[in-house]
Structure formats: C-alpha cells, structure tokens
Amino acid sequence: MASSTVLLPPHHYLNDGFGVKSWLLTRDHKRIALLYLAGVTFFFFLGGAFAVMIRLELATPAADLMSDDTYNKMFTMHGVMMVFFFLIPAIPGVLGNFFIPIMIGAKDLAFPRLNLLSWYIFVIGASFTTYAAITGGLDTGWTFYTPFSTASSTSAVVPAALGIFINGFSGILTGLNFIVTIHRMRAPGLTWFRLPLFVWSHYATSLIMVLGTPVLAITIVLVAAERVFQFGIFDPTRGGDPVLFQHLFWFYSHPAVYIMVLPAMGVISELVAAFCRKPVFGYTFVAFASLGIAVLGFLVWGHHMFVAGQSVYAAMVFSILSFLVAIPSAVKVFNWTATMYKGSISWETPMLYAIGFIGLFTIGGLTGLFLAAIGLDVHVTDTYFIVAHFHYIMVGGTIMAYLGGLHYWWPKIAGRTYNELLAKVSAAIIFFGFNLTFFPQFIVGYLGMPRRYHTYPPEFQVLNVLSSAGASLLGIGYLLPMAYLGWSLRYGKLVGPNPWGAVGLEWTTTSPPPTENFHQMPVVTWDAYEYPTRVEGHVA
C-alpha cells in the first residue's frame, strides 16, 4: 500500500467535535456508520462467545460441559446474535452507510435524521434481545419455530422476539434511505449504468429490506400474541397451523440470506476491479444479476420445507426455482473470474479476502444445489450438512467480504494505513481456520449427525475435534484485525486521497473525507471502472 507524507486534512468528519453528545446526535452518515461499526463488532464477538461454548461442548461425544437445555440456549443465542445483529446490518450499516453517498457524489443520505434513528432502533432492539440472553436465554432455535416459541418453551421468547421486531424497523429505514438517495441524489453525469456495482447491490438489497422485513415483523407479532393471549394462530390444538409459521418465516428469511450476501457481492466487485486493474467483465449482467437475485429470492422459501408436509407438486416447483436462483449468483462468480483473467493482479490484503470469498461462496452455492434437490435435501435436512452450507455462505461469504471491504476502505475511513503483513497473516488464518471448522461438518452431516444435539456417536469425534480446532484458529484470525486496525488509528502511516490507485468518486476526496464529502460538487464524465484510462494519474 502506498502512503503519503501529507498531514491529515485540517477539517474532516472525525474532528467535528469529540464529545459523546456530538456523536450520539450526529447526522453525518460517516459517523453513524462508525456507530454501527461499534455495535455490530460487539454483537459479532458476543455471538462468537456462544459459538466457543458450542465447540467446547462438541469436542467430546458426551455432554461434559452443559445440560441439554443450556446447549439449546447456546446455539439459539449464537444464531440470533449473528444473524439479526451482525450479518444483516454489518455491510449496509457500516460500509453502505459510509460510502454510498460518497460513491454517488452526495453530501449525505437523503434522510439524515432517519439514518440516526435507524441506529437507535438497532440499539434498542439489540438491548431487548441481550436482556433475554441475560435473564435466562432463548432455547427455540434462531428460527423461532412453533410450537417451541408459542407453547413449550419457558425461556425469554417475548423479549427476544420484541428485540427482533424492533430491529426490523432499523433495516426498513436504512433500505428506504438508500433507495431514495440512489434515485434522487446522484452527481451530474452519474447515470444508472455508471454506478459502482457496490451501489447496485445495495439498491437490490434495499428492495428486499423494505418489502420483506414487514413480513417477519408481523410473524413475530403473531408469535407473541399467541404466546401471551393464547390465540389459535399456529397451535393446532386451538385451530392453528404450525406450518403456516414456517411459510411466513421463510418467505422473509430466505430473502434475508440475500440481505446478507448481496452487499458482500457488491464489495467483491469493487475489490476484484481495483486489484486486477480491469473493468468488471459484463458490468450490465452483474448489475442485473443483483436485481434478479432480489426478485427470485422471494420465490424459493419452500425449499426449507421439503420435510414439512407440503405437496409433492409444490416441492417440485420450489426445487426448480431454487436451481434458477443459482444462475444470477453464478453469473457474478464467472464474471469476477473473467475479470481476473489476464488482469494485473495485486495481492494486497483486500484481494486475498476477495479470492477467499469466491472460493468459499462457490462451495456454499454448489452445496446449496444439493439442498435444492429434493431427495438429497430429505437425507441431510437438520444435519450438520445444513450448518456447513449456511456458514460457507454467511461466514465464508458475508464476513470475508465485510473484512475485505473494511481493509480496502480503511485508509479512506481513518486516513491511515494498517500493518499489511499482519493483515495478510490474519486473512490466511481466517481462510484456513474457516475450512478446518466447517468442511468436516459436511462429512458428519452427510453421515447423519443431527444439528442442535450436544451428544453424538463416538465415531464422529475426530471430525468434531478438527472442527473445534478450526474454530480456535478462526477466533485468532478475527481478533487480529481489531488489534492492528485499532493500532493504525494512532500509529498508522498517513495516506493521500487514493492509496490503492482505484477509481470511483470516493477516491477523489480527501482521506478522511470532509464533513460534506466533497469540497465542490463532482461531475462524472467516465464509466464505472475505467481503469486503463484513469489509473495512470492517481494520487498515491
């Protein structure tokens, strides 16, 4: 990474007041992004702490560490914290909030007050769910399946559900803000097909947030109503239907997978173009693939329910649609690969994360096709095969892209570099630790080890010990960036506007950006990713 000897610009968003009040009442999208960064980092490590307890228990076949009830709470709280309070808000809340206005040449998001409100709603919702964890935990599984959540569970279902319900409004406000901003606040000359693919992916994600999240919200309300007032909505003894809950939950929660992974795909498009010094191959196809994923994602929820009693004909339709939704994802992977072909690849830390994402996401996507095949899905349903597949998509995909994007844009956020050697070591540890953790779970799952059990046959112990050892490596890999990125805030080398030699409006302003992002309104006269003509004159 090239660095500059220039001083930080005299006025930028970080020195607009240092008091707590100036941060908690800020309307600057960049500061709100850093508030999100603090929040999602806390819940990432809180969810990770629950994962540590799970892997410690599974290191031996017997229940040596905790009771079955406590184990139920461990995997439930791990899933709830990671899905709702890290994976969904991480990239939109941090990277999207910080960079979408800058990438389109705007001074801020369209609704700054709503943006701040979305963060407060996130904190309030997370507080209710954290309260549930402190006061006995939740044991229903992160999916809140009935009748566990409505009748049989004696755990803190209502406060946990209330927290997730409240948190949903944070996503709705963020999605609405992004949609209006992208439509109405682009710089002169920045047409739709000059937009960075990062912006396209967030636009598609925002559509899912606005259209899908209310379905989850009303579903959670119905669960709470049945639990508190004994209504017969999902309880068959009162005339309800437990399968109805699964339809409502997965109608939102499968598109929610794309809320997590679509922004990650946008990050990877930026990284591949920047570190291969080439325009993204098939830019238009990649842009429309984001919209295609958003649309088709609403049509495949039934593949989570092949063993839930739906008709054979419905299962066949959902199976076909599930194969179809893989096409736009494959378009992106093939186009990234074509972009790298004969590119001038620079093996900096963000590119290592991009390569890791492509490999891990491809494995996750291919195993997803196994689950779209009804016969195979019936065999591996509720086994560790599902756990491995989900984590290859979410952890191997979303978190790898999040860390790649954080490293790529960190010089712009902080105005300083980080230790490149430590960053590369961390990326390698995460990649190898991740595969050691989750690849054995494909094997034990296919062999029949059910998920959510804290005891298992002794013949599975070797693979579970490997998985627990990999989780230890993974934890080290995740802790390292906290150390060297925190160190860089004070001791990192100062950088100029464009340390990577990248293109895009965010690299034309100072590092860190001024409060209003640009000293004068930019005018865009070039297409997205015009590397051959624009890189030569970059400021390093």
Side-chain angles (χ1 to χ4, degrees):
M1 181 192 297
S3 64
S4 173
T5 57
V6 299
L7 295 176
L8 290 174
H11 184 75
H12 55 83
Y13 78 99
L14 287 173
N15 60 20
D16 276 353
F18 298 99
V20 173
K21 183 178 179 181
S22 70
W23 279 85
L24 295 181
L25 297 180
T26 184
R27 285 177 284 167
D28 186 340
H29 67 99
K30 299 179 289 298
R31 286 192 164 203
I32 294 170
L34 295 188
L35 293 175
Y36 267 109
L37 176 61
V40 299
T41 300
F42 173 79
F43 286 103
F44 174 73
F45 284 103
L46 181 59
F50 290 116
V52 168
M53 300 303 294
I54 293 169
R55 291 317 317 170
L56 286 174
E57 175 63 88
L58 293 177
T60 62
D64 300 319
L65 188 61
M66 62 189 81
S67 67
D68 51 0
D69 184 57
T70 302
Y71 186 77
N72 290 345
K73 293 175 181 178
M74 288 295 150
F75 68 70
T76 297
M77 295 311 302
H78 167 67
V80 167
M81 293 298 180
M82 284 298 199
V83 171
F84 295 107
F85 301 108
F86 175 75
L87 289 169
I88 288 176
I91 297 181
V94 179
L95 301 179
N97 244 327
F98 199 106
F99 287 103
I100 284 178
I102 306 177
M103 283 181 162
I104 67 173
K107 293 181 179 181
D108 206 319
L109 289 171
F111 307 115
R113 289 184 177 88
L114 282 186
N115 194 22
L116 179 61
L117 178 61
S118 74
W119 179 76
Y120 274 107
I121 291 173
F122 166 78
V123 171
I124 294 169
S127 299
F128 273 97
T129 306
T130 304
Y131 169 79
I134 295 172
T135 57
L138 181 70
D139 64 359
T140 63
W142 74 272
T143 55
F144 287 86
Y145 270 10
T146 56
F148 303 124
S149 58
T150 55
S152 60
S153 176
T154 58
S155 62
V157 174
V158 172
L162 181 60
I164 293 169
F165 172 77
I166 293 170
N167 185 55
F169 289 95
S170 173
I172 293 171
L173 293 180
T174 298
L176 177 65
N177 222 341
F178 285 174
I179 290 171
V180 176
T181 301
I182 294 167
H183 268 278
R184 304 294 299 171
M185 299 181 68
R186 302 191 307 275
L190 188 59
T191 61
W192 279 97
F193 291 102
R194 286 178 171 173
L195 285 174
L197 291 167
F198 181 82
V199 177
W200 271 103
S201 68
H202 274 81
Y203 183 78
T205 303
S206 299
L207 296 176
I208 301 174
M209 286 178 172
V210 171
L211 297 176
T213 307
V215 178
L216 176 68
I218 191 62
T219 305
I220 294 297
V221 168
L222 292 175
V223 167
E226 177 162 315
R227 187 174 178 87
V228 174
F229 301 109
Q230 307 300 310
F231 292 156
I233 303 168
F234 305 118
D235 185 352
T237 64
R238 296 186 175 92
D241 183 0
V243 178
L244 173 62
F245 174 86
Q246 293 190 37
H247 279 290
L248 292 172
F249 180 85
W250 288 116
F251 182 79
Y252 162 79
S253 292
H254 193 85
V257 171
Y258 301 115
I259 293 177
M260 306 174 214
V261 84
L262 268 173
M265 292 174 166
V267 171
I268 299 306
S269 294
E270 301 300 316
L271 301 187
V272 168
F275 294 98
C276 295
R277 295 295 186 265
K278 286 178 64 180
V280 174
F281 180 84
Y283 166 93
T284 305
F285 283 93
V286 177
F288 280 114
S290 294
L291 297 178
I293 290 172
V295 172
L296 289 173
F298 279 104
L299 305 177
V300 298
W301 77 91
H303 73 224
H304 294 272
M305 302 170 60
F306 286 153
V307 298
Q310 65 182 348
S311 74
V312 174
Y313 301 106
M316 291 175 63
V317 170
F318 282 121
S319 176
I320 294 169
L321 289 171
S322 299
F323 280 107
L324 288 178
V325 80
I327 294 174
S329 297
V331 165
K332 288 176 177 284
V333 172
F334 287 132
N335 284 32
W336 293 327
T337 307
T339 304
M340 289 189 284
Y341 179 65
K342 291 187 177 180
S344 179
I345 299 178
S346 176
W347 297 103
E348 307 289 351
T349 301
M351 189 60 185
L352 297 182
Y353 280 109
I355 294 291
F357 171 95
I358 293 172
L360 299 179
F361 178 79
T362 300
I363 294 173
L366 289 174
T367 53
L369 296 179
F370 296 175
L371 302 179
I374 300 173
L376 275 172
D377 182 88
V378 169
H379 173 63
V380 299
T381 289
D382 277 337
T383 70
Y384 264 85
F385 192 97
I386 305 292
V387 176
H389 158 73
F390 184 80
H391 283 81
Y392 264 85
I393 295 291
M394 294 297 97
V395 183
T398 301
I399 297 181
M400 290 291 280
Y402 173 68
L403 290 174
L406 197 60
H407 284 78
Y408 177 55
W409 282 300
W410 187 257
K412 181 61 60 177
I413 294 171
R416 296 178 181 271
T417 66
Y418 46 81
N419 186 299
E420 185 69 22
L421 176 61
L422 279 177
K424 288 182 177 179
V425 169
S426 174
I429 290 173
I430 290 171
F431 182 81
F432 288 110
F434 174 85
N435 281 288
L436 186 58
T437 302
F438 293 106
F439 196 83
Q441 295 179 14
F442 280 126
I443 301 172
V444 295
Y446 186 78
L447 292 175
M449 179 177 167
R451 62 177 176 171
R452 299 175 176 171
Y453 280 49
H454 69 325
T455 60
Y456 55 86
E459 57 264 31
F460 295 149
Q461 184 174 10
V462 172
L463 290 170
N464 273 286
V465 169
L466 286 176
S467 190
S468 294
S472 301
L473 279 179
L474 203 54
I476 295 170
Y478 288 145
L479 286 169
L480 276 174
M482 281 196 68
Y484 61 73
L485 291 179
W487 176 90
S488 73
L489 288 173
R490 184 173 180 87
Y491 301 106
K493 293 180 180 179
L494 302 174
V495 294
N498 194 358
W500 301 116
V503 300
L505 288 177
E506 74 269 30
W507 302 110
T508 65
T509 189
T510 57
S511 300
T515 303
E516 294 187 345
N517 296 335
F518 300 94
H519 295 295
Q520 58 184 13
M521 172 68 74
V523 177
V524 178
T525 59
W526 60 90
D527 291 332
Y529 312 113
E530 273 193 24
Y531 275 93
T533 58
R534 291 187 54 79
V535 168
E536 297 172 0
H538 80 268
V539 180

